[in-house]
């Protein structure tokens, strides 16, 4: 079996000093830290339904790409929500409610107390809100229902009805905003100020950093799990991860940087070419807004403005910034669904595959391979951030349903895909 991932793609190497000093000396430790991650893991690991998501070895694809290993962290099963976002939005909701109860009583309850309804009389009058392209809002809504508060979620017109329905299923009110994701961010913020609601956003801006920091800290669970799942003695030499506002990328970048700056992997951030705020920022050396309608099938990455605290880490932690076209994402979805030379078929949504698409395009271009030091000894880590969160769109792109792919996975593995 052969494959071809369509271009074009672009890559910008970071011109700033990259990981020139130990993590934290430039203030990064105030954004994310292993100590705060330990707190997040302590809570999240106690939530009902918690289990590590699979780390899948794609040996057939690695051989075809001329690298030693490709590891795909499949977040499609995370807490039954279909994406990694459960780790961030719901955790930030929990921290917000913990702060409120502690301020009123002097006692900081854990997630189990909220889940049992112990503080519902106090939290039921609180409302959390955010803007979303789908997955983050679903996580916030899930967290609000699980821990006992109300929820209003803002979406832009491009968010599909299935994604809206998935949010509403957790009891949230869903409101549409004309414009882009960033317009929805601003509307959620303004309405929250008027109504006394609490914004639980995955992007930070001037004067708003604490809650996005908690969101990003929750994402660090992914890297912590990967560390324990890799074969003994093996570490990634390269990480290709989705951009968006930069929260997930910054969380993983910070984890590897803080763990050991000397052996930190080459870190590449990948975005849609129609929503390239991070690459534009890398070119400019400062946060830059991506203009236009941000029209991409990678809906979860359709973001035009960089999260400020994510940029603080990525501006000196990422080695390169790539963009890929929608055609590359679609082809990578189909590639994963089909399996490569014995690889397990994987259900991956549109936003799940940007990092892998970037890795495949980089590995297939000799100049880019050389620039990123990709070779036959490279161990590549990518994060499959979502499953088929829009089942109908998935079928249209892949040509088969997610269930059909899972059935073939069961045949290949002898057991149903989790």
């Amino acid at each position: 079996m052969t494959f071809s991932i369509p271009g074009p793609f672009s890559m910008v190497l970071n011109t700033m000093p990259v990981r020139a000093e130990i993590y934290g000396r430039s203030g990064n430790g105030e954004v994310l830290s292993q100590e705060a991650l330990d707190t997040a893991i302590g809570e999240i690991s106690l939530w009902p339904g918690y289990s590590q998501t699979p780390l899948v070895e794609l040996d057939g694809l690695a051989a075809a790409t001329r690298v030693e290993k490709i590891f795909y962290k499949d977040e499609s099963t995370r807490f039954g929500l279909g994406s990694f976002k459960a780790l961030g939005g719901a955790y930030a909701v929990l921290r917000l409610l913990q702060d409120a109860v502690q301020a009123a009583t002097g006692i900081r309850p854990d997630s189990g107390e909220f889940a049992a309804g112990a503080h519902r009389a106090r939290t039921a009058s609180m409302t959390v809100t955010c803007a979303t392209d789908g997955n983050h809002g679903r996580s916030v809504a899930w967290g609000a229902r699980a821990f006992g508060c109300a929820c209003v979620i803002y979406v832009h017109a491009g968010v599909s009805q299935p994604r809206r329905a998935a949010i509403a299923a957790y009891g949230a009110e869903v409101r549409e905003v004309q414009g882009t994701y960033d317009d929805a961010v601003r509307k959620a913020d303004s309405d929250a100020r008027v109504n006394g609601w609490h914004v639980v956003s995955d992007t930070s801006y001037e004067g708003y950093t604490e809650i996005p920091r908690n969101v990003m800290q929750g994402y660090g669970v992914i890297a912590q799990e990967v560390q324990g799942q890799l074969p003994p003695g093996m570490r990634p030499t390269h990480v290709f991860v989705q951009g968006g506002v930069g929260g997930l990328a910054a969380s993983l970048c910070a984890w590897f940087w803080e763990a050991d700056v000397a052996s930190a992997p080459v870190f590449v951030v990948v975005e849609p070419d129609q929503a390239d705020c991070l690459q534009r920022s890398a070119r400019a050396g400062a946060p830059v807004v991506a203009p236009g309608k941000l029209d991409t099938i990678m809906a979860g990455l359709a973001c035009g403005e960089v999260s400020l605290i994510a940029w603080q880490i990525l501006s000196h932690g990422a080695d390169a910034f790539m963009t890929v076209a929608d055609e590359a994402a679609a082809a990578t979805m189909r590639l994963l669904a089909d399996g490569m030379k014995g690889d397990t078929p994987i259900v991956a949504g549109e936003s799940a595959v940007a990092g892998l698409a970037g890795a495949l395009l980089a590995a297939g271009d000799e100049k880019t391979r050389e620039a990123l030091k990709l070779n036959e000894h490279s161990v590549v880590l990518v994060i499959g951030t979502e499953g088929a969160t829009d089942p109908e769109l998935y079928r249209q792109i892949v040509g088969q349903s997610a269930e059909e792919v899972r059935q073939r996975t069961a045949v290949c593995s002898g057991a149903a895909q989790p």
Side-chain angles (χ1 to χ4, degrees), residues 136-147:
H136 177 68
R138 191 174 180 182
S139 174
V140 170
W142 179 71
R145 189 179 76 169
F147 304 127

Side-chain angles (χ1 to χ4, degrees), residues 138 141 161-170 389:
R138 191 174 180 182
Q161 290 302 322
R163 290 195 171 99
R164 299 184 195 201
I167 295 168
Y170 292 103
T389 53

Side-chain angles (χ1 to χ4, degrees), residues 113-134:
E113 293 179 52
F114 286 109
H119 302 280
R120 201 166 294 264
R122 189 176 302 277
T123 61
S125 61
M126 298 176 63
T127 298
V128 293
T129 188
C130 72
T132 188
D133 285 307

Side-chain angles (χ1 to χ4, degrees), residues 42-327:
E43 288 283 6
I44 292 170
S45 63
L46 295 177
W47 294 358
Y50 170 77
S51 62
Q52 293 190 358
T53 53
L55 184 67
V56 183
E57 296 186 43
L58 299 177
D59 289 340
L61 191 55
T65 312
R66 295 180 293 144
V67 298
E68 181 177 347
K69 288 283 187 182
I70 296 178
F71 289 99
Y72 181 96
K73 180 68 165 166
D74 186 358
E75 288 291 302
S76 65
T77 60
R78 186 69 75 176
F79 289 109
L81 293 186
S83 88
F84 79 106
K85 291 284 190 176
L87 295 169
Y91 178 63
V93 170
L94 172 64
R95 289 293 301 262
L96 177 70
L97 300 182
Q98 285 177 323
D99 290 345
V101 172
Q102 184 174 17
T105 67
I107 300 172
R108 191 171 187 83
D110 62 23
S111 55
E113 293 179 52
F114 286 109
H119 302 280
R120 201 166 294 264
R122 189 176 302 277
T123 61
S125 61
M126 298 176 63
T127 298
V128 293
T129 188
C130 72
T132 188
D133 285 307
N135 290 337
H136 177 68
R138 191 174 180 182
S139 174
V140 170
W142 179 71
R145 189 179 76 169
F147 304 127
C149 65
C151 182
V152 179
I153 301 296
Y154 291 81
V155 299
H156 58 83
V159 176
S160 69
Q161 290 302 322
R163 290 195 171 99
R164 299 184 195 201
I167 295 168
Y170 292 103
E173 178 186 346
V174 180
R175 298 183 181 181
E176 181 179 313
V177 175
Q178 295 302 308
T180 67
Y181 166 79
D182 300 296
D183 294 317
V185 169
R186 286 184 279 271
K187 179 61 173 173
D189 182 71
S190 63
D191 282 5
R193 293 175 188 273
V194 171
N195 294 303
W197 298 342
H198 303 271
V199 177
V200 180
S201 176
D202 58 353
T203 188
S204 61
Y205 39 89
E206 196 67 41
Y208 180 77
T209 59
E210 182 177 354
I211 287 177
R213 181 185 297 116
N214 290 333
V215 171
M216 292 164 60
Q217 200 72 70
Y219 296 159
V221 172
I222 295 172
Q224 192 86 346
E225 289 181 359
V226 167
Q227 180 189 39
Q229 292 173 307
L230 287 167
M234 184 170 285
R235 293 176 59 90
T237 62
H238 295 74
V239 177
F240 288 77
V241 66
Q242 288 83 320
V245 299
L248 173 65
S251 178
L252 298 182
C253 183
W255 191 94
F256 286 107
W257 185 357
E258 185 176 12
D260 186 353
V261 64
S263 63
V266 175
F267 200 91
V268 184
V269 182
V270 186
E271 304 172 278
D273 58 7
Q274 298 300 307
D276 57 346
C277 58
L278 287 161
Q279 188 182 90
R280 287 173 182 267
S281 299
R283 292 182 188 276
V288 171
V289 175
K293 295 183 179 180
L294 312 176
D295 188 14
T296 171
I297 64 169
M298 293 172 269
L301 307 178
C303 308
E305 298 183 32
V306 178
S307 171
L308 294 183
I309 57 175
W311 179 248
Q312 180 178 328
I313 292 171
L314 293 174
S315 61
H316 289 284
D319 295 271
F321 298 83
M322 288 184 69
T323 65
V324 299
D326 281 358
E327 293 80 4

